[in-house]
């Protein structure tokens, strides 16, 4: 046993000698201990003789034994007799006997807990068989003292119990509202009733009742235009309530079908978008806006659209557009690209009634074309039939057999907007639907179909079927008659942007750009995607699908789903948002079913750009001869266009109080400018606006030039529009100069969504006085009274080029001045005659007065002609003349043109009275 040197042997130690009872020879003198296989032996144990005659002995340890260090010892022992005499000569040894020593344990150690603190979390409202298990160990070597016999909770009044194995469970359902965290202490006892050295703490957290589903869903999400990409679900995570799942699939759907053609795209016309995408020029618009030159779409009903493109509605019967032969002939050939936007079923998204009843739907023709190629006619038609799209192509209607290309597409019958691009390089045909390539499902020969009539005709919304009528032959000649027929296979739906470009087909990158949405769903960082996760986004980026098998990885992936809108001026409004989740569990019976979540994304109103036109004065005065030159006069030679954004800036972070309104100059793309004459329209026989058409064509801009306005359209940079507008000249025909002409200039972007200020320019035509009415007596009067010292070279409000002493004034003012001067001469003569008559009567009455005492001193007579009155001050009606013989001043106003009156003041020096106007 431990701490006792004596080894109790069973049976006791005895050694017998057959020579007994002989003295010495029959006695046992001692024992020798030999090391055993375990290393124990003479180093640890010794044997002593208790009785030499009986051979009784005792085994004892040389030092205390420790059961925990070595529980058992094994060694051999050998006895020897006393020999033949006291000196032990010729002693004999016994055989070796094996001794096994087992060290008895004492309860010297107390139990010790493996962990000092145990934690667990459980949902409320349930009884559990085990919440957490505590464990203690004892260092004693024997089962009696090393085993933990029982545990005990030493904290009173807790709703928990513990068994002898350390399992803790609750005795009553837990309530998180009453107590969220339970903390108590436990201890352990070994079988020797020794208590643990230190007690262990147990903390149980009560979770609210688990409801499987998404936690952290935000119903309303706001997006500020210009923010780039924002996470939609930064705090969203899935709670499975400890249900074991092996597959999770979530579908995020962003509904943008109510915006334009399915999403927020470039708000420019289809023609401008083609230029921005780098498409090859030369396309022909088959459904242009109605105008006198393109009147074949005037009868088609149109629907409002958020972008600039027109949306035409077809009802399958009466709504048909017949393209003129002059346009159809421009798109002939067997190499062409047909592009269009389509939506089946018209404005309503409900399927047609006959389709809902399950009946077979008739074929609907989108475009049907028969065009002349050199000496032959080719024919093609694009049709839809149920969920199938077909292209019927006939290289030569008189010889070749037709080929039909067929595609089965869900996009054709889902009543949503889709972009179709059909590139034909016969016999190769490539179809792009929403930027994705589709190969024909079937290509077959239709040899039994009757040949189309060899007449050039291009129809949108139906196909023309001529009627065969018998005609009488007169004199072996078949009389000519007008072709009759009807439209068949009418299309029912919406069409927009139907264009055909002959020649090489469009590259795939251009087709993708034409369809590309500027808003949609995206995934933040694919590198952070966990193992086993998959992400799929549809071409329009309106649907994103996540799939995985681990809840934690799935939650991290959901938080990486983002919304992006690359448009600087995004379309404001609400985008509905849906999240649908599907779970697969090992136990299908108890697998969770999650409801669909619905919310909405609100795109806020973007900061409005400020388009400012400047650099052009309110007046432009030039000699009339310059306007009559071959190039005319530029109207806006120093025009400057500046676009800026005004937005609120939070200055609190910069240590400033309140906020500020900042304006940043940005690079914009204008899409139209208009120059409009105010008042009367332009008279083509007398005046015209000149513009470099070659420059417009090189830059891909379109122009509408009428007598009422000039409109330049097309998406281009501000610098290009500045150069184009600066090159506009105004020219007059010889001798057709007038007093003034006013023009108004305005520009816009985003299809008129944002407009500039209206810049008004008044053009004044300046005429030389020397060049008008030379044989008239008024000119002589003008030269007599208009002294050079009284003239200036500037009109109020106008700057005249190269001023000199011969004043240059407007033509109408010149006529008025000459009339005024002539009238003034008459008035002066009458005045002098009247004064002399009065003077003679005065001399006869007084008799003795001096002859020159009352004579009018006309040496100081001054005539002031003021032709430089501003145009505003010269508006009015001429007043009646008044005058008395004793007036000290006379003012004569021209009774002619009220807008060009001249003030003539006759002063008599030395008088104090103010002049009066007549």
């Amino acid at each position: 046993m431990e701490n006792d040197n004596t080894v109790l042997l069973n049976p006791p130690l005895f050694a017998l000698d057959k020579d007994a009872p002989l003295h010495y020879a029959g006695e046992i003198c001692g024992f020798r201990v030999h090391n055993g296989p375990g290393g124990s032996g003479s180093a640890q144990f010794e044997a002593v003789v208790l009785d030499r005659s009986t051979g009784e002995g005792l085994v004892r340890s040389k030092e205390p034994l420790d059961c925990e260090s070595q529980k058992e010892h094994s060694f051999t022992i050998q006895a020897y007799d006393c020999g033949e005499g006291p000196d032990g000569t010729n002693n004999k040894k016994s055989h070796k006997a094996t001794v096994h020593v087992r060290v008895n344990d004492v309860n010297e150690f107390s139990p010790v807990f493996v962990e000092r603190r145990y934690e667990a979390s459980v949902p409320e409202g349930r009884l559990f068989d085990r919440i957490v298990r505590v464990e203690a160990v004892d260092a004693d070597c024997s089962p009696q003292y090393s085993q933990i016999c029982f545990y005990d909770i030493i904290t009173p009044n807790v709703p928990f119990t513990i068994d002898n194995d350390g399992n803790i469970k609750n005795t009553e359902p837990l309530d998180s509202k009453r107590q969220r965290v339970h903390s108590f202490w436990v201890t352990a006892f070994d079988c020797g009733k020794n208590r643990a050295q230190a007690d262990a703490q147990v903390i149980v957290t009560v979770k609210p009742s688990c409801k499987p589903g998404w936690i952290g869903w935000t119903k309303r999400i706001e997006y500020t235009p210009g923010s780039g990409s924002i996470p939609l679900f930064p705090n969203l995570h899935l709670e499975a309530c400890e249900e074991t799942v092996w597959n999770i699939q979530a579908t995020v759907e962003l509904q943008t079908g109510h915006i334009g053609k399915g999403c927020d795209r470039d708000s420019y016309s289809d023609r401008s978008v083609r230029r921005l995408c780098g498409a090859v020029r030369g396309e022909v618009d088959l459904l242009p806006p109605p105008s006198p030159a393109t009147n074949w779409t005037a009868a088609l009903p149109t629907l409002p659209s958020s972008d600039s493109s027109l949306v035409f509605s077809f009802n399958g019967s009466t709504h048909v557009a017949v393209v003129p032969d002059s346009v159809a002939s421009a798109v002939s050939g067997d190499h062409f690209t047909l592009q269009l936007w389509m939506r089946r079923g018209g404005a309503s998204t409900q399927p047609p009634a006959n389709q809902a009843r399950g009946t077979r739907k008739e074929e609907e023709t989108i475009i049907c074309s028969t065009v002349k190629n050199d000496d032959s006619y080719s024919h093609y038609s694009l049709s839809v039939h149920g969920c199938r799209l077909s292209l019927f192509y006939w290289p030569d209607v008189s010889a070749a057999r037709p080929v039909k290309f067929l595609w089965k597409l869900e996009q054709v019958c889902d009543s949503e907007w889709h972009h179709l691009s059909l590139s034909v390089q016969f016999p190769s045909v490539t179809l792009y639907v929403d930027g994705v390539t589709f190969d024909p499902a079937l290509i077959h020969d239709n040899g039994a179909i009757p040949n189309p009539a060899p007449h050039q005709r291009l129809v949108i919304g139906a196909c023309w079927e001529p009627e065969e009528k018998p005609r009488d032959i007169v004199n072996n000649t078949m009389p000519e008659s007008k072709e009759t027929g009807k439209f068949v296979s009418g299309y029912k739906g919406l069409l927009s942007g139907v264009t055909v470009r002959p020649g090489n087909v469009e590259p795939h990158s251009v087709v993708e750009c034409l369809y590309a949405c500027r808003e949609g769903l995206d995934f933040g960082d694919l590198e952070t995607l966990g193992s086993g996760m998959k992400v799929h986004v549809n071409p329009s980026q309106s649907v994103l699908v996540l799939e995985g098998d681990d809840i934690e990885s799935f939650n991290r992936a959901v938080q990486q789903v983002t919304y992006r809108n690359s448009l600087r001026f995004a379309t404001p409004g609400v985008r509905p948002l849906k999240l649908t989740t599907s779970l697969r569990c090992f136990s299908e019976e108890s697998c969770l079913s999650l409801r669909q979540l619905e919310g909405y994304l609100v795109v806020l109103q973007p900061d409005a750009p400020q388009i400012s036109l400047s650099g052009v004065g309110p007046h432009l005065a030039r000699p009339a001869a310059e306007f009559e030159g071959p190039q005319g006069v530029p109207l806006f030679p120093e025009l400057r266009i500046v676009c800026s954004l005004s937005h609120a800036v939070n200055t609190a972070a910069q240590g400033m109080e309140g906020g500020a309104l900042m304006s940043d100059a940005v690079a914009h793309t204008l899409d139209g400018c208009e120059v409009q004459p105010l008042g009367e329209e332009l008279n083509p026989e007398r005046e015209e606006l000149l513009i470099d058409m070659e420059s417009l064509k090189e830059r891909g801009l379109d122009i509408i030039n009428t007598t009422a306005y000039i409109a330049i359209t097309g998406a281009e940079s501000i610098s290009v529009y500045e150069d184009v507008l600066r090159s506009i000249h105004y020219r007059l025909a010889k001798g057709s100069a007038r007093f003034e002409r006013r023009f108004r200039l305005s520009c816009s972007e985003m299809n008129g969504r944002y407009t500039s200020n209206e810049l008004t320019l008044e053009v004044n035509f300046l005429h030389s006085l020397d060049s008008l009415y030379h044989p008239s007596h008024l000119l002589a009067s003008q030269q007599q009274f208009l002294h050079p010292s009284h003239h200036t070279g500037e009109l109020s409000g106008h700057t005249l080029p190269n001023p000199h002493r011969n004043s240059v004034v407007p033509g109408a003012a010149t006529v008025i001045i000459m009339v005024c001067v002539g009238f003034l001469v008459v008035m002066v003569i009458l005045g002098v005659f009247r004064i002399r008559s009065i003077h003679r009567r005065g001399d006869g009455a007084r008799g003795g007065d001096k002859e020159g005492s009352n004579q009018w001193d006309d040496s100081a007579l001054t005539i002031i002609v003021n032709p430089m009155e501003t145009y505003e001050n010269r508006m009015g009606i001429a007043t009646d003349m008044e005058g008395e013989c004793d007036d000290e001043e006379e003012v004569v106003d021209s009774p002619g043109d009220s807008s060009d009156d001249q003030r003539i003041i006759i002063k008599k020096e030395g008088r104090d009275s103010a002049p009066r106007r007549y």
Side-chain angles (χ1 to χ4, degrees), residues 175-193:
D175 188 355
S176 62
K177 297 180 180 178
R178 185 173 60 183
Q179 186 172 352
R180 181 70 183 274
V181 178
H182 295 267
S183 178
F184 52 92
W185 295 85
V186 297
T187 190
F189 293 89
D190 61 17
C191 294
K193 297 186 178 181

Side-chain angles (χ1 to χ4, degrees), residues 86 184 228 270 273 412 438 440 524 599 689 720 879 898 901:
F184 52 92
D270 292 333
V273 172
V412 176
F438 289 89
L689 291 175
V720 170
T879 60
S898 61
D901 63 335

Side-chain angles (χ1 to χ4, degrees), residues 90 98 122 195 198 443 567 729:
N90 295 326
T98 301
V122 293
R195 181 176 172 174
I443 304 176
L567 287 182
H729 288 63

Side-chain angles (χ1 to χ4, degrees), residues 14 140 324 380 382 403 444 638 674 676 683-684 726 832 864 917:
F14 282 94
D140 290 318
Y380 72 87
L382 183 67
V403 178
H444 58 85
E638 298 179 358
E674 182 177 291
Q676 178 184 5
N683 187 347
R726 289 170 184 170
V832 172
I864 300 177
R917 296 190 60 184

Side-chain angles (χ1 to χ4, degrees), residues 59-75:
V59 177
R60 59 188 181 188
S61 63
K62 297 180 180 180
E63 56 185 18
L65 300 178
D66 187 5
C67 178
E68 286 73 30
S69 299
Q70 188 170 352
K71 189 175 182 180
E72 293 184 353
H73 299 270
S74 180
F75 55 88

Side-chain angles (χ1 to χ4, degrees), residues 587-717:
S587 176
E588 295 294 338
E589 296 181 355
S590 62
C591 196
L592 304 176
S593 177
L594 304 182
R595 64 181 181 88
Q596 184 184 67
L597 298 180
E598 295 184 359
Y600 54 93
L601 175 75
V602 180
V603 178
L604 303 179
Q605 185 74 30
D607 296 326
Q610 305 296 327
I611 309 174
S612 176
L613 307 180
S614 60
V616 178
H619 297 280
L620 175 64
R622 292 290 187 274
E626 294 187 15
F627 289 95
E628 296 172 353
Q631 300 297 328
V633 175
L635 293 180
F636 317 106
E638 298 179 358
L639 175 67
R640 290 187 66 250
I641 305 176
V642 177
C643 235
S644 61
L645 281 179
S646 297
H647 56 90
V649 177
N650 183 13
T651 56
Q654 304 174 4
M656 301 171 59
E657 296 183 359
L661 193 67
M662 300 295 293
S663 180
D664 300 333
V666 293
H668 279 252
T669 299
L670 300 180
D671 59 8
C673 287
E674 182 177 291
V675 180
Q676 178 184 5
L678 299 180
E680 299 179 356
E681 296 185 2
L682 295 176
N683 187 347
E685 297 180 355
R686 299 178 52 190
E687 55 188 343
E688 62 180 338
L689 291 175
L690 304 178
I691 191 168
D692 189 356
M693 301 300 295
E694 292 296 329
S695 176
L696 289 179
K697 186 176 180 181
E698 291 177 359
R699 291 165 173 171
L701 298 177
D702 298 326
I703 184 172
I704 301 175
N705 193 352
T706 67
T707 59
Y709 64 91
I710 284 183
I712 303 170
T713 59
E716 257 301 347
S717 63

Side-chain angles (χ1 to χ4, degrees), residues 637-831:
E638 298 179 358
L639 175 67
R640 290 187 66 250
I641 305 176
V642 177
C643 235
S644 61
L645 281 179
S646 297
H647 56 90
V649 177
N650 183 13
T651 56
Q654 304 174 4
M656 301 171 59
E657 296 183 359
L661 193 67
M662 300 295 293
S663 180
D664 300 333
V666 293
H668 279 252
T669 299
L670 300 180
D671 59 8
C673 287
E674 182 177 291
V675 180
Q676 178 184 5
L678 299 180
E680 299 179 356
E681 296 185 2
L682 295 176
N683 187 347
E685 297 180 355
R686 299 178 52 190
E687 55 188 343
E688 62 180 338
L689 291 175
L690 304 178
I691 191 168
D692 189 356
M693 301 300 295
E694 292 296 329
S695 176
L696 289 179
K697 186 176 180 181
E698 291 177 359
R699 291 165 173 171
L701 298 177
D702 298 326
I703 184 172
I704 301 175
N705 193 352
T706 67
T707 59
Y709 64 91
I710 284 183
I712 303 170
T713 59
E716 257 301 347
S717 63
I718 288 180
S719 60
V720 170
Y721 269 94
E722 283 181 339
D723 294 340
V724 171
L725 293 175
R726 289 170 184 170
S727 66
I728 296 179
H729 288 63
Y730 179 54
R731 186 175 67 181
L732 295 174
K734 292 290 184 179
S736 60
R738 50 190 292 176
F739 173 60
E740 65 179 11
R741 165 64 92 175
R742 300 176 66 199
F743 294 94
R744 181 171 60 199
L745 171 65
S746 62
C747 295
S748 66
E749 66 172 323
M750 308 292 287
N751 298 308
R753 182 174 168 187
Y754 302 108
T755 57
S756 69
N757 60 309
E758 292 185 349
L759 192 63
T760 303
L761 175 66
E762 182 178 307
V763 179
N764 302 116
F765 312 103
L766 307 180
H767 303 268
S768 173
L769 295 179
D770 297 334
S771 63
L772 297 175
Y773 304 101
H774 287 285
S776 175
H777 68 281
L778 298 178
L779 181 59
S781 300
Q782 171 189 346
Q783 294 174 350
Q784 177 181 356
F785 287 98
L786 295 181
H787 194 276
S789 61
H790 296 286
H791 289 274
T792 61
E794 182 176 334
L795 284 172
S796 176
H798 301 272
T799 302
L800 306 182
N802 300 326
H804 49 81
R805 293 191 303 173
N806 292 330
S807 177
V808 179
V809 296
T814 303
V815 176
I816 294 174
I817 289 175
M818 290 187 292
V819 172
C820 291
V821 171
F823 185 76
L824 176 61
V825 172
V826 175
M827 294 300 297
V828 170
I829 295 174
L830 292 176

Side-chain angles (χ1 to χ4, degrees), residues 882-898:
E882 296 180 1
E884 297 295 338
C885 61
D886 57 345
D887 286 348
E888 298 186 350
E889 290 183 352
E890 293 187 15
V891 180
V892 180
D893 282 0
S894 170
D897 191 346
S898 61

